[in-house]
């Protein structure tokens, strides 16, 4: 993004604060004009005093008092107006900072799950914090000084040509030369700073990745290695950043030199004009003040340019995320369906992640309310994709998914997902209290309801043994609990939500036999009276399913009950036979081991 376009987008994000922004812009314009008038009044005062020098009787006191009064008045106006602008600019920037950060957070939460497979969570957090902080600083600086600086340079500089074209031309030429030099530096460092920002993003990703896998780091004795890697990344950041800082040091030298040269040029030229009766002492003083004012504004403009160069990559990253359109969203005419019965229909549904190979193709099946449907097949066969389409993690490219006869794309996302509960293979828990985690599906649940759900999920005894009970913090990703306890908590959460449709995604695959038995009993409880979809690799866990759909290559190749599919002698029967033989072999090994121990 170019600077102007980027800055306009920054200002567009003011939203409902735009009204106050316009008021502050007008106030800045008034301030710029007042600051421009001050040197003119001061020059007139000096001329009035110079004319009467040695002849006080010729001094026009009324004219002098008017000039002094006007000068003091403009000075007081500048003080009061600057204070008010700073005060309200601070408040505007802080209010909008909070609003934009929340807006970004809401937007990111609405992005499809597929977006997160290619975007590191550490990067998204870094973009949110760095971007919102940068926006806050830019809004504050714009209304405090940037706008006034731009007005002074673009509008007021030409006015110096009207007052005295000789001095005005000199100031214009010096400012133009200064601007060209600074523009050259900006072009030099612009790409360099983008590279620096990429390094900072990599540092954020690496930090989050390491802390998120702290158990792995410690158990494999990788602390020294990870610290070494972070130290190396720090060196790379410095090697990229130091050249940028060196160039900005050059701009500092240019700025200081231009200040001295401009003042010296005005003074020398003024003396020459005075000796040739082309100017007055007051005009020399006036343009010396103009030079000071304009150089100050140029310094502010340089600071603005340097800040934009430093901040542009962060803001561009922020807008890149903000401009990402959610693939799944509510239609304008979407309706909230209320509580659904749970009749699910897939009609010729196809979906592809890359547009080349179909993840699922021509899926057609129906699940009746209260029916349990199991999805079986090898990894990548399309089971999870099919159920992802059911709760609109993504939408099909062709075909339609219906619930209770309604196309789910015509339902609001919140209304649809309130009717679907998901128990994941990897249990997802917030770093919050147990009660907060359970109330995710039902925010207004009472403690009695929490206890009832946990009792049905066979996890109440675990919570009762905790000192703080339901107020106990679950820890990051639920680390306070074992795998089986986390899974039973997720089942209690689903029970509390009480959805008519339930998805069990390999809910017991990572558990030992004893824990699996307890979780399976809890799952049997939560499945009662609901349309349930079960993804399972262990066929023994779906023995009692009403119907089993066998997936291969994104298609359903077999459908029927457990016994029907075994009698069919097809793909499912082969899977069942192989798992049965493996189970027999494992049992035989256990018996042999027990015999050896006994002897």
């Amino acid at each position: 993004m170019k600077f102007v376009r980027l800055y306009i987008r920054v200002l567009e994000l003011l939203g409902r604060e735009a009204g106050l922004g316009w008021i502050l812009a007008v106030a800045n314009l008034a301030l710029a004009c007042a600051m421009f008038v001050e040197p003119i009044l001061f020059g007139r005062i000096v001329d009035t005093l110079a004319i009467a020098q040695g002849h006080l009787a010729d001094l026009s006191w009324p004219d002098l008092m008017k000039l002094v009064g006007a000068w003091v008045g403009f000075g007081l106006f500048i003080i009061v107006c600057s204070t008010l602008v700073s005060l309200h600019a601070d408040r505007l920037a802080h209010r909008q900072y909070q609003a934009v950060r929340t807006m970004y957070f809401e937007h990111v939460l609405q992005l499809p799950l597929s977006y997160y497979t290619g975007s590191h969570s550490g990067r998204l957090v870094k973009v949110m914090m760095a971007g919102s902080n940068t926006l806050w600083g830019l809004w504050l600086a714009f209304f405090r000084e940037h706008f006034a600086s731009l007005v002074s340079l673009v509008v007021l500089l030409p006015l110096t040509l009207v007052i005295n074209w000789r001095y005005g031309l000199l100031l214009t030429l010096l400012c133009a030369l200064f601007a060209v030099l600074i523009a050259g530096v900006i072009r030099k460092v612009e790409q360099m700073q983008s590279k620096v920002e990429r390094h900072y993003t990599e540092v954020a990703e690496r930090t989050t990745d390491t802390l998120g896998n702290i158990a792995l780091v410690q158990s494999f004795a990788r602390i020294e290695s990870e610290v070494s890697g972070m130290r190396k990344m720090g060196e790379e950041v410095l090697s990229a950043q130091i050249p940028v800082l060196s160039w900005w040091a050059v701009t500092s030298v240019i700025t200081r030199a231009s200040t001295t040269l401009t003042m010296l040029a005005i003074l020398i030229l003024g003396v020459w004009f005075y000796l040739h009766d082309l100017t007055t002492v007051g005009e020399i003083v006036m343009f010396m003040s103009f030079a000071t004012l304009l150089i100050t504004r140029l310094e502010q403009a340089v600071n603005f340019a340097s800040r934009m160069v430093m901040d542009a990559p962060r803001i561009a990253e922020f807008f890149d995320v903000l401009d990402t359109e959610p693939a799944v969203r509510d239609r304008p005419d979407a309706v909230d369906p209320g509580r659904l019965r749970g009749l699910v229909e897939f009609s010729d549904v196809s979906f592809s992640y890359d547009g080349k190979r179909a993840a699922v193709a021509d899926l057609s099946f129906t699940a009746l309310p209260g029916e349990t449907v199991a999805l079986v097949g090898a990894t990548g066969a399309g089971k999870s994709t099919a159920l992802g389409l059911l709760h609109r993690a993504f939408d099909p490219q062709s075909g339609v998914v219906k619930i209770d006869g309604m196309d789910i794309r015509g339902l609001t996302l919140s209304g649809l997902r309130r009717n679907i509960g998901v128990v994941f293979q990897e249990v997802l828990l917030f770093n919050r209290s147990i009660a907060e985690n359970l109330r995710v599906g039902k925010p207004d649940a009472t403690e009695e309801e929490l206890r009832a759900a946990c009792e049905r999920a066979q996890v109440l005894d675990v919570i009762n043994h905790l000192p703080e009970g339901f107020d106990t913090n679950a820890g990051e990703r639920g680390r306070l609990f074992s795998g089986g306890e986390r899974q039973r908590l997720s089942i209690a959460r689903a029970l509390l939500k009480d959805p008519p449709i339930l998805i069990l995604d390999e809910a017991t695959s990572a558990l030992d036999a004893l824990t699996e038995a307890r979780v399976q009993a809890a799952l049997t409880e939560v499945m009662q009276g609901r349309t349930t979809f079960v993804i399972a690799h262990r066929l023994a866990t779906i023995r009692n399913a009403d119907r089993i759909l066998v997936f291969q290559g994104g298609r359903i190749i077999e459908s029927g009950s457990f016994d029907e599919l075994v009698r069919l002698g097809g793909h499912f029967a082969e899977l069942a036979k192989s798992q049965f033989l493996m189970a027999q072999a494992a049992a035989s090994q256990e018996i042999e081991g027990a015999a050896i121990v006994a002897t």
Side-chain angles (χ1 to χ4, degrees):
M1 291 186 184
K2 297 299 182 182
F3 282 166
V4 174
R5 183 183 168 204
L6 194 62
Y7 210 62
I8 289 173
R9 286 208 64 182
V10 169
L11 296 177
E12 286 175 347
L13 276 182
L14 286 173
R16 61 183 181 182
E17 297 288 346
L20 177 57
W22 279 108
I23 294 173
L24 292 174
V26 172
N28 269 283
L29 180 60
L31 269 174
C33 293
M35 290 179 178
F36 193 80
V37 170
E38 263 197 318
I40 296 175
L41 291 172
F42 187 55
R44 298 287 184 267
I45 291 170
V46 170
D47 276 341
T48 301
L49 293 173
I51 291 171
Q53 187 174 6
H55 305 283
L56 291 179
D58 295 335
L59 182 62
S60 177
W61 286 99
D63 292 342
L64 180 61
M65 289 299 102
K66 287 179 183 178
L67 290 171
V68 171
W71 186 42
V72 171
F74 274 100
L76 291 175
F77 171 79
I78 291 170
I79 293 171
V80 174
C81 192
S82 297
T83 302
L84 292 175
V85 165
S86 296
L87 177 64
H88 288 287
D90 276 352
R91 294 179 178 180
L92 177 149
H94 279 87
R95 284 196 299 264
Q96 201 57 21
Y97 162 76
Q98 300 296 342
V100 168
R101 186 178 62 179
T102 303
M103 178 186 69
Y104 174 94
F105 187 63
E106 180 182 12
H107 174 77
V108 168
L109 292 181
Q110 292 174 342
L111 294 175
L113 294 177
S114 57
Y115 177 82
Y116 291 89
T117 60
S119 296
H120 198 286
S121 59
R123 172 183 175 268
L124 293 175
V125 172
K126 179 257 182 187
V127 169
M128 181 176 76
M129 300 309 296
S132 53
N133 284 330
T134 300
L135 289 169
W136 168 80
L138 288 175
W139 288 325
L140 191 63
F142 178 82
F143 292 112
R144 276 188 171 182
E145 58 186 39
H146 291 173
F147 187 72
S149 299
L150 291 173
V151 169
S152 298
L153 295 173
V154 176
V155 178
L156 301 182
L157 183 60
L159 291 179
T160 59
L161 295 168
V162 177
I163 297 172
N164 188 309
W165 68 269
R166 297 179 180 87
Y167 291 120
L169 183 60
L170 176 63
L171 283 176
T172 302
L173 291 174
L174 289 172
C175 288
L177 176 61
F178 179 72
V180 168
L181 292 173
I182 296 301
V185 174
I186 291 173
R187 282 196 299 271
K188 189 74 176 177
V189 303
E190 186 175 358
Q191 291 183 343
M192 297 167 66
Q193 185 59 34
S194 296
K195 182 179 178 181
V196 171
E197 200 58 34
R198 285 196 295 273
H199 282 300
Y200 278 119
T201 298
E202 290 168 2
V203 169
E205 291 179 356
R206 176 82 176 230
T207 303
T208 305
D209 196 39
T210 303
L211 295 178
N213 293 283
I214 189 65
L216 177 67
V217 171
Q218 294 182 350
S219 62
F220 280 79
R222 284 200 49 90
I223 293 177
E224 184 177 343
S225 176
E226 292 298 322
V227 172
S228 176
M230 183 60 70
R231 187 179 295 113
K232 182 180 178 181
M233 294 182 78
E235 292 170 356
E236 291 173 351
V237 170
L238 284 175
S239 65
Q241 183 74 80
I242 287 177
V244 177
L245 299 177
S246 299
W247 277 106
W248 287 124
V250 171
T251 64
S252 179
V253 172
I254 294 173
T255 302
R256 297 300 175 190
S258 65
T259 302
T260 303
L261 291 174
T262 302
M263 298 295 288
L264 185 61
I266 291 290
L267 181 61
I268 294 173
L269 192 64
V271 170
W272 191 86
F273 286 159
Y274 183 78
L275 294 175
H276 291 78
D277 203 25
L278 296 173
T279 190
T280 63
V281 175
E283 282 189 335
I284 295 175
V285 173
M286 182 194 307
F287 275 87
M288 291 284 283
S289 300
F290 277 148
T292 303
L293 176 62
L294 290 172
I295 290 299
T296 301
R297 294 306 190 192
L298 274 172
E299 288 180 348
Q300 291 173 349
V302 170
N303 290 334
F304 158 68
S306 64
R307 184 165 189 167
M308 283 300 296
V309 170
M310 302 288 278
D311 293 342
R314 299 183 196 126
I315 304 172
E317 273 191 319
F318 187 87
F319 284 130
D320 283 343
V321 176
L322 212 57
D323 290 342
T324 303
E325 294 288 342
V328 177
R329 59 174 64 193
D330 286 340
R331 289 178 175 177
D333 59 346
V335 297
D336 188 329
R339 185 172 179 83
L340 298 166
R341 289 172 51 245
L343 172 62
V344 176
E345 301 170 86
F346 276 63
S347 301
D348 299 319
V349 172
S350 298
F351 174 79
S352 171
Y353 290 102
D354 57 10
K356 299 176 182 177
R357 187 176 65 88
V360 294
D362 303 322
L363 293 186
S364 293
F365 65 88
T366 300
L368 300 176
E371 193 175 28
T372 297
V373 177
L375 284 70
V376 175
T379 300
K383 308 181 299 296
S384 296
T385 300
L387 296 185
L389 291 166
L390 178 59
H391 61 86
R392 292 194 71 192
F394 23 76
D395 285 331
Q397 276 97 30
S398 63
V400 63
V401 181
K402 295 181 180 179
I403 299 180
D404 292 356
M406 296 179 287
D407 186 341
I408 61 174
R409 288 171 294 192
L411 309 178
T412 61
L413 284 169
S414 59
L416 170 68
R417 291 169 180 171
R418 275 200 307 271
N419 283 278
I420 300 175
V422 184
V423 178
F424 298 97
Q425 177 182 357
E426 181 187 1
V427 181
L428 306 174
L429 294 175
F430 291 114
N431 185 22
R432 303 169 192 172
S433 70
I434 296 172
E436 285 182 273
N437 274 288
L438 293 175
R439 288 191 175 108
V440 165
K442 189 179 181 182
D444 58 347
T446 63
E447 185 168 343
E448 289 73 19
E449 289 175 313
L450 296 182
R451 300 185 72 84
C454 289
E455 186 173 13
R456 291 174 65 191
Q458 303 192 36
V459 75
L460 183 61
D461 56 335
V462 176
I463 298 172
N464 285 336
H465 282 89
L466 297 172
E468 297 180 60
F470 284 99
D471 292 327
T472 304
N473 194 290
E476 187 177 0
R477 304 180 72 84
R479 287 176 179 166
L480 177 66
F481 302 100
S482 68
E485 290 167 348
R486 288 198 297 269
Q487 195 61 280
R488 279 177 278 158
L489 280 171
S490 71
I491 294 168
R493 181 169 60 194
L495 277 166
L496 198 63
K497 183 178 181 180
D498 190 27
I501 300 171
L502 183 67
I503 296 173
L504 305 177
D505 189 354
E506 290 285 354
T508 63
S509 63
L511 305 177
D512 61 79
L514 181 60
T515 304
E516 182 183 359
R518 296 196 67 180
V519 171
Q520 197 63 50
L523 287 173
T524 302
E525 180 71 22
V526 76
M527 290 164 63
Q528 291 180 5
R530 309 177 201 282
T531 305
T532 305
F533 295 91
V534 182
I535 296 178
H537 284 109
R538 293 191 217 174
L539 303 186
T541 63
I542 56 170
R543 184 68 180 77
N544 297 320
D546 296 303
R547 193 146 40 94
I548 298 171
L549 304 177
V550 183
F551 279 71
Q552 188 177 64
R555 298 176 183 272
I556 297 174
I557 59 171
E558 295 176 3
S559 175
S561 67
F562 192 99
D563 294 334
E564 289 171 347
L565 292 175
V566 170
R567 284 196 298 270
L568 184 64
H571 185 74
F572 181 83
E574 289 294 325
L575 287 175
K577 182 179 179 181
S578 63
Q579 288 198 13
F580 177 74
L581 292 175
M582 289 173 63
Q584 271 193 330
S588 298
Q589 287 179 353
E590 287 183 9
I591 292 172
E592 290 176 5
I596 292 172
V597 171
T599 56

